Amino acid sequence: MAYFNLSFLALLLLLLPPLALLLILYLIVRPRPVKIPIKNRHVFITGGSSGIGLALAHHAASEGARVSILARSIDKLEEAKNYIQLSTGIDVSIFSADVRDYDAVSKAVEEAGPIDVLIVNQGVFVPEELEKQGLDEVKFMVDVNLIGSFNMIKAALPKMKKGDGMPRSIALMSSQAGQVGIYGYTAYSASKFGLRGLAEALQQEVISHDIHVSLIFPPDTDTPGLTEETKKRPQLTSIIAESSGVMKAEEVAKKAFGGIKSAAFIVPCNLEGALLSIATAGMSPQRSFVMAFVEVVAAGLVRLVALFFQWNWYNGIHTWHAQNKIDDLMEQRTEIHVADLKWLGTWDLSLLDGRRSK
């Protein structure tokens, strides 16, 4: 009996710290949990004519939402509209505008009407090392990915604040390259990292209006954009990016809506993304006290795992550059050897006597 009492006491002492931590987190995590309804609500998606945006629009329509999509190409918008209507029976409103043009975006938002769920999904990526990349390409990515998001949110926010008495959502489509910098993604990562600062500050500004911000972090996704990107991106970028795998657009859309409906601030899309979310949680809001517990307890271990990833990446970078130097040296030696053979070809054996052939 005494042994049983001692065992019970030891177990209690062992469980007391984590239980106390869970209780503290339950009391302090903010904002509080909330559910965002999708059915019969207006979901507005930028970049909605293809890729992840089209998958998001299809998913929203399947859940009974009223869907509006915005993109630049009217032809692609018409194709997307027909596809969604045929597969779900839901009519979709389409708006042709460039997110870099605030006036055009404002006009589209005015025509679309009050928005309940805004998904800022547009994005462009031109992969290249910064030294080789033109500043016009850098500006293009920042303008579309970051400034375009400001334009879209600023245009939609006034009517979203008035609302319909139900919680609303603003979701920003970032990238795992918005959680960790990757070789060849310098400008792209900068534009996607910027979305995090936007989202964290915006959540504080709009929480009193029952608007909830989500930041979605997909990995490489099987879209027409990725196909074009992989043709151009540096070899090292492909080697590093392979560690996270590739997801289907439909899978990303499903994960995204799961996060939006639960009003999660950080929405990872796969295991690597979940680990990155813990490693980079920082000062981000957290609605789930259970997830907050995981972040607190696992932070050190995940940081160790992250350091192993960095070790692997930097070793790969050093090895790749060292091999390139060896290849360049061998190529130079080959060129010199070929040049020597061509030069010797103008001489005969009398060269041994120091006389050139006629």
Side-chain angles (χ1 to χ4, degrees):
M1 186 66 179
Y3 176 77
F4 174 78
N5 289 337
L6 284 173
S7 298
F8 178 75
L9 182 61
L11 181 63
L12 188 62
L13 289 173
L14 197 63
L15 292 176
L16 194 58
L19 289 173
L21 178 58
L22 275 170
L23 178 61
I24 292 168
L25 293 172
Y26 174 78
L27 294 172
I28 68 170
V29 289
R30 293 292 187 278
R32 285 301 192 184
V34 67
K35 295 295 182 183
I36 309 289
I38 300 297
K39 188 175 182 179
N40 298 324
R41 310 203 68 207
H42 184 197
V43 178
F44 192 108
I45 303 166
T46 67
S49 62
S50 64
I52 294 174
L54 177 57
L56 288 166
H58 183 270
H59 192 97
S62 299
E63 291 204 17
R66 179 167 75 87
V67 180
S68 296
I69 56 176
L70 179 145
R72 286 181 295 175
S73 170
I74 189 65
D75 291 336
K76 286 185 177 181
L77 283 166
E78 290 286 358
E79 288 177 13
K81 176 180 179 175
N82 293 335
Y83 163 69
I84 295 169
Q85 193 169 30
L86 285 172
S87 57
T88 68
I90 301 295
D91 192 23
V92 175
S93 300
I94 59 174
F95 300 92
S96 176
D98 189 325
V99 293
R100 294 172 294 176
D101 184 342
Y102 177 73
D103 291 337
V105 165
S106 296
K107 183 180 177 183
V109 168
E110 186 66 30
E111 290 178 13
I115 297 168
D116 299 304
V117 177
L118 171 64
I119 305 179
V120 185
N121 167 76
Q122 83 284 341
V124 292
F125 177 40
V126 184
E128 198 168 20
E129 296 95 337
L130 181 60
E131 183 182 5
K132 300 175 182 177
Q133 194 158 53
L135 286 176
D136 56 335
E137 290 180 329
V138 173
K139 187 175 185 301
F140 177 52
M141 281 184 272
V142 172
D143 283 351
V144 173
N145 300 347
L146 185 56
I147 303 303
S149 299
F150 275 103
N151 287 343
M152 194 66 229
I153 295 168
K154 189 169 175 59
L157 205 50
K159 287 188 177 179
M160 286 191 75
K161 279 187 172 183
K162 294 177 182 178
D164 58 1
M166 300 177 73
R168 279 138 285 131
S169 171
I170 296 174
L172 297 162
M173 188 63 67
S174 184
S175 162
Q176 285 185 0
Q179 294 174 290
V180 59
I182 299 174
Y183 186 102
Y185 283 58
T186 311
Y188 181 73
S189 283
S191 69
K192 292 296 187 177
F193 266 79
L195 291 178
R196 183 163 192 150
L198 189 169
E200 288 189 5
L202 180 66
Q203 180 60 95
Q204 295 180 27
E205 293 182 8
V206 300
I207 190 63
S208 61
H209 295 277
D210 208 10
I211 299 174
H212 307 274
V213 178
S214 292
L215 194 56
I216 304 159
F217 293 107
D220 279 347
T221 305
D222 187 11
T223 63
L226 179 67
T227 303
E228 290 304 310
E229 172 199 322
T230 50
K231 294 177 184 177
K232 304 173 185 175
R233 67 186 183 187
Q235 186 182 357
L236 263 175
T237 304
S238 296
I239 292 169
I240 293 171
E242 281 174 2
S243 63
S244 193
V246 177
M247 289 184 71
K248 296 290 185 183
E250 294 76 15
E251 295 173 329
V252 172
K254 185 177 179 181
K255 291 284 187 180
F257 268 103
I260 290 168
K261 288 191 286 187
S262 64
F265 181 79
I266 292 178
V267 184
C269 294
N270 59 6
L271 177 60
E272 291 82 359
L275 292 174
L276 277 172
S277 297
I278 295 170
T280 61
M283 293 291 289
S284 295
Q286 176 57 263
R287 293 180 187 275
S288 167
F289 74 95
V290 175
M291 194 61 214
F293 178 83
V294 173
E295 289 171 352
V296 171
V297 172
L301 179 60
V302 172
R303 175 58 177 158
L304 179 63
V305 172
L307 289 171
F308 270 107
F309 268 99
Q310 292 288 348
W311 170 77
N312 183 51
W313 290 351
Y314 278 96
N315 272 354
I317 290 168
H318 288 311
T319 301
W320 189 83
H321 281 292
Q323 186 60 52
N324 273 2
K325 287 181 181 178
I326 292 170
D327 291 344
D328 289 344
L329 182 61
M330 293 299 293
E331 188 176 336
Q332 289 173 14
R333 290 183 64 179
T334 301
E335 288 174 355
I336 292 170
H337 181 62
V338 170
D340 285 346
L341 289 174
K342 288 180 180 178
W343 179 70
L344 286 171
T346 63
W347 295 73
D348 61 16
L349 292 177
S350 63
L351 198 134
L352 296 173
D353 298 326
R355 293 171 298 183
R356 183 157 185 185
S357 62
K358 298 293 183 182

